[in-house]
Amino acid sequence: AQSVTQLGSHVSVSEGALFLLRCNYSSSVPPYLFWYVQYPNQGLQLLLKYTSAATLVKGINGFEAEFKKSETSFHLTKPSAHMSDAAEYFCAVSDRAGSARQLTFGSGTQLTVLP
Amino acid sequence: SAVISQKPSRDICQRGTSLTIQCQVDSQVTMMFWYRQQPGQSLTLIATANQGSEATYESGFVIDKFPISRPNLTFSTLTVSNMSPEDSSIYLCSVSVTGSNEQFFGPGTRLTVL
């Protein structure tokens, strides 16, 4: 069984500031971890993924996430927020031994970027 | 990656009617999935669409309510039957390729049931 917890359903950040979105997972086996972004009225876009290589993962548009096994976390960060980053962000976990069907999503974090 | 299109992009329907949503992928993929995203909620997997056989439904979802077809490796449909306002959601199609745990998502279909 696996699950994902995203702390903070809403996060606000000032334009140009660093922000961090939290994700903690629970998995009985080594996981794959993903961050997706959903812009208004659109589908989900993959930002980055952890699949057991480097623990610090770099994604598109300056996003990064660090896999910390001891903390069972995979928090998403970006050093400088842009207005275009305003969106909903979903963390997801997959059982490495299973198929893509085993993808489990967190409840999402809505990011607001303040001018 | 894969490019996924869905039709319609949105619709407003009357209670008791049915709507069929189409999902088209630009390449042959191994797995196709249908998700529901209720207002303000995360994604919930409805079913895995299997080519040439019955879909695999998740707990809480049944074929009579959400019949699914997948006639080939690039196309699938989801029907929302006998709709009620509680079916108002975004319905998303996603795909995965062989050996990958990664899913690519379509733009979604925004359904409102009056």
Side-chain angles (χ1 to χ4, degrees):
Chain A
Q2 55 200 24
S3 64
V4 175
T5 301
Q6 290 184 242
L7 290 177
S9 59
H10 291 83
V11 171
S12 294
V13 62
S14 297
E15 190 176 16
L18 177 148
F19 65 88
L20 180 147
L21 304 182
R22 298 183 181 277
C23 172
N24 289 88
Y25 70 90
S26 171
S27 178
S28 57
V29 297
Y32 288 146
L33 293 158
F34 307 85
W35 274 100
Y36 286 88
V37 62
Q38 186 177 34
Y39 297 104
N41 300 313
Q42 295 187 29
L44 274 68
Q45 179 183 1
L46 181 67
L47 285 175
L48 50 79
K49 61 181 179 182
Y50 167 75
T51 57
S52 82
T55 56
L56 180 61
V57 180
K58 295 184 183 296
I60 61 172
N61 300 333
F63 286 95
E64 293 183 353
E66 186 172 7
F67 173 70
K68 292 187 177 181
K69 183 179 179 180
S70 61
E71 299 178 8
T72 61
S73 69
F74 190 57
H75 302 329
L76 180 71
T77 64
K78 186 173 182 181
S80 177
H82 293 205
M83 297 299 291
S84 60
D85 293 327
E88 182 125 29
Y89 293 80
F90 292 96
C91 182
V93 62
S94 175
D95 178 349
R96 209 182 276 188
S99 71
R101 174 173 169 269
Q102 307 303 321
L103 197 62
T104 301
F105 286 86
S107 56
T109 297
Q110 182 69 47
L111 179 70
T112 299
V113 181
L114 306 172
Chain B
S1 65
V3 178
I4 305 163
S5 60
Q6 285 186 232
K7 290 181 182 179
S9 59
R10 58 178 62 230
D11 207 341
I12 300 173
C13 300
Q14 296 297 319
R15 181 196 298 260
T17 63
S18 298
L19 176 72
T20 295
I21 303 168
Q22 299 180 4
C23 176
Q24 180 73 55
V25 189
D26 68 341
S27 58
Q28 293 187 351
V29 294
T30 305
M31 305 186 78
M32 297 182 76
F33 306 92
W34 287 99
Y35 286 84
R36 181 176 71 183
Q37 186 180 21
Q38 294 177 299
Q41 303 293 316
S42 186
L43 282 74
T44 301
L45 181 63
I46 297 172
T48 303
N50 301 309
Q51 190 215 351
S53 64
E54 192 172 289
T56 304
Y57 289 84
E58 298 301 308
S59 176
F61 298 96
V62 295
I63 187 171
D64 290 346
K65 177 66 176 177
F66 297 101
I68 288 170
S69 77
R70 188 179 173 189
N72 57 51
L73 291 175
T74 64
F75 184 79
S76 177
T77 66
L78 167 75
T79 299
V80 186
S81 303
N82 188 25
M83 289 183 286
S84 66
E86 292 71 34
D87 294 321
S88 297
S89 297
I90 300 172
Y91 292 86
L92 295 129
C93 170
S94 75
V95 305
S96 181
V97 298
T98 302
S100 171
N101 283 37
E102 181 178 332
Q103 293 186 26
F104 302 95
F105 285 83
T109 296
R110 185 177 296 271
L111 171 63
T112 302
V113 183
L114 302 178

